[in-house]
Amino acid sequence: MFAGCVNLRNVIVQGNLRMSTITLRVLDGSDRGKVFESIAAPVTIGREEGNTIQLNDERISRFHLKIQQDHEDLVLTDLESTNGSKVNNEEVQLRILRHGDLITLGRSTLIFGSRVEINDRLDRGDPDRKVDSKEAGSRPSGENVAVKSGRQEDPSCRKALLAHSPPKLPDRLSPGQAAQLSEVVEFLHMHVRHVVSDVELDKRKKNVELTREQWQKMIDVQARLSEYLRRISNP
């Protein structure tokens, strides 16, 4: 664990105690695209009413996990959930959170921190060194993340990505709608292009290595896509 990981720039004052606030964004799952901003700790997440954040996911326990403040740290505790909790794809019972961490419970994935908080963490940086792909996840922000080419994925998702006929663009767009859609696609294309052009390919290991900053950029693209999809589905 790393002490002092959370920048307490966003705080609320409760009596004489300064309490940090939490921002969580849902990247994947039935609630993808939802954003829970500046929530005062402690926060509980589960599928039942009575949680600070209630998620619609049958693989999540009634009261699945809790995030609470301990001095200057924000600590995630798994509440003896049936299917467990992961931080950066690693099974955890107790973990100090850092802005940019991915929290997985059930079929849902959330990113911890606002974009400002994650950028602040990246700006502070940490000593740069390579890490093994098995260890990637709970490491300082300057370290590299090895992305395995053989990672397990949802077969239907993989099939869709490899399909010869991708989904068609909507027909009969007005000039204004076409311009708006073009701006969205161009924005996402620009971010992906910057990451792809800078990645390192280790031909011996068949791995692609990303810096922590590149990895966070890809996660941010996923977060923006999740938010777009939710807004399109719920205009």
Side-chain angles (χ1 to χ4, degrees):
M1 292 186 182
F2 299 91
C5 294
V6 176
N7 181 354
L8 297 185
R9 180 172 298 178
N10 291 337
V11 298
I12 59 174
V13 178
Q14 199 172 75
N16 294 323
L17 182 63
R18 290 168 64 84
M19 301 293 291
S20 62
T21 61
I22 295 169
T23 295
L24 290 163
R25 293 174 284 151
V26 185
L27 299 184
D28 230 336
S30 59
D31 294 290
R32 70 180 180 185
K34 281 189 176 180
V35 179
F36 303 92
E37 293 185 291
S38 302
I39 307 170
V43 170
T44 60
I45 304 176
R47 72 170 192 272
E48 289 255 317
E49 292 184 9
N51 286 282
T52 316
I53 296 175
Q54 182 183 11
L55 296 178
N56 181 25
D57 186 336
E58 72 277 6
R59 292 183 60 83
I60 292 177
S61 295
R62 293 168 57 249
F63 292 88
H64 197 104
L65 64 81
K66 182 177 184 179
I67 301 173
Q68 59 190 331
Q69 184 173 349
D70 183 18
H71 300 289
E72 294 187 350
D73 296 323
L74 285 170
V75 181
L76 179 150
T77 304
D78 181 85
L79 300 176
E80 299 183 358
S81 63
T82 301
N83 294 309
S85 302
K86 293 182 179 180
V87 174
N88 299 326
N89 209 33
E90 180 182 345
E91 292 275 0
V92 298
Q93 178 63 39
L94 196 68
R95 174 61 57 87
I96 293 176
L97 292 174
R98 311 174 80 241
H99 294 133
D101 281 346
L102 293 181
I103 302 169
T104 302
L105 56 165
R107 294 188 173 91
S108 303
T109 301
L110 300 83
I111 184 168
F112 174 68
S114 66
R115 290 185 172 92
V116 172
E117 290 168 333
I118 294 171
N119 284 333
D120 284 348
R121 173 191 167 191
L122 293 173
D123 287 342
R124 291 196 303 275
D126 289 297
D128 232 3
R129 69 178 181 85
K130 301 287 180 67
V131 295
D132 184 81
S133 58
K134 293 181 181 178
E135 300 177 300
S138 57
R139 300 300 180 191
S141 61
E143 296 174 353
N144 286 13
V145 179
V147 180
K148 285 190 172 182
S149 59
R151 181 180 175 183
Q152 294 296 317
E153 294 176 343
D154 181 346
S156 62
C157 178
R158 179 175 292 180
K159 183 178 179 181
L161 288 172
L162 296 176
H164 294 293
S165 301
K168 294 181 179 179
L169 290 171
D171 296 325
R172 296 182 296 276
L173 292 174
S174 70
Q177 290 172 326
Q180 287 179 313
L181 179 60
S182 177
E183 285 186 353
V184 170
V185 174
E186 185 177 355
F187 171 81
L188 295 170
H189 179 266
M190 176 188 67
H191 281 275
V192 173
R193 182 185 64 202
H194 286 169
V195 174
V196 170
S197 63
D198 292 337
V199 297
E200 297 179 10
L201 176 63
D202 189 331
K203 295 182 179 179
R204 294 171 301 173
K205 297 181 180 179
K206 297 183 179 179
N207 284 350
V208 173
E209 291 197 337
L210 306 179
T211 65
R212 177 71 62 173
E213 184 174 0
Q214 291 166 337
W215 184 60
Q216 294 288 180
K217 284 181 180 178
M218 293 303 296
I219 293 172
D220 191 58
V221 170
Q222 184 184 0
R224 292 184 187 276
L225 285 169
S226 297
E227 291 164 19
Y228 283 141
L229 285 168
R230 187 164 196 85
R231 289 169 61 185
I232 292 169
S233 302
N234 300 284

